[in-house]
Amino acid sequence: QVQLVESGGGLVQPGGSLRLSCVGSGQTLSGYAMGWFRQAPGKEREYVAGYSRTGGYTYYGDSVKGRFTISRDNGKNAVYLQMNNLKTEDTAVYYCAAGRTVITSSIRNQNAYHHWGQGTQVTVSS
């Protein structure tokens, strides 16, 4: 069983940047597909970015392409989300998720992930 802990959220002005971290414990994250999701008040949970379980392929949600970058450090058993040019609509709770059986066709589907962190709040406001 893997446990995930997110950090790095906070308050930032529009146009600013934040870097979120997701650190795993219990098992190595390199054997999992990893995903970042977010949920704003009153909205459904949305796929943000992720890695495939094999091959190291990266995927992004349409609303963050070109602004967000996912990366990983296997030595630290961590996955990161660099968020640049933040917009007010990026305000949400951001969750890290891991799944051993996620396939490409379901990589954006939250139900394919079985392990979740507690979330970290990102607020973009002037």
Side-chain angles (χ1 to χ4, degrees), residues 51-116:
Y51 270 105
S52 60
R53 186 174 60 85
T54 58
Y57 299 105
T58 57
Y59 302 85
Y60 294 93
D62 290 341
S63 61
V64 306
K65 281 180 182 176
R67 300 188 297 123
F68 290 12
T69 304
I70 190 171
S71 62
R72 68 193 311 165
D73 185 335
N74 289 335
K76 295 184 178 179
N77 209 32
V79 176
Y80 306 98
L81 184 68
Q82 178 66 42
M83 307 186 295
N84 297 329
N85 191 22
L86 283 161
K87 304 177 181 180
T88 55
E89 52 262 43
D90 295 318
T91 295
V93 178
Y94 284 70
Y95 298 92
C96 176
R100 276 200 180 276
T101 60
V102 180
I103 58 176
T104 302
S105 59
S106 62
I107 203 156
R108 293 177 173 84
N109 184 347
Q110 60 174 314
N111 295 319
Y113 297 81
H114 298 116
H115 307 282
W116 291 81

Side-chain angles (χ1 to χ4, degrees), residues 19-68:
R19 186 192 192 212
L20 305 184
S21 300
C22 172
V23 178
S25 61
Q27 293 191 11
T28 176
L29 296 183
S30 61
Y32 290 81
M34 299 299 300
W36 284 99
F37 292 79
R38 67 186 182 185
Q39 188 165 20
K43 294 189 177 181
E44 294 186 354
R45 193 166 292 187
E46 174 189 16
Y47 182 79
V48 176
Y51 270 105
S52 60
R53 186 174 60 85
T54 58
Y57 299 105
T58 57
Y59 302 85
Y60 294 93
D62 290 341
S63 61
V64 306
K65 281 180 182 176
R67 300 188 297 123
F68 290 12

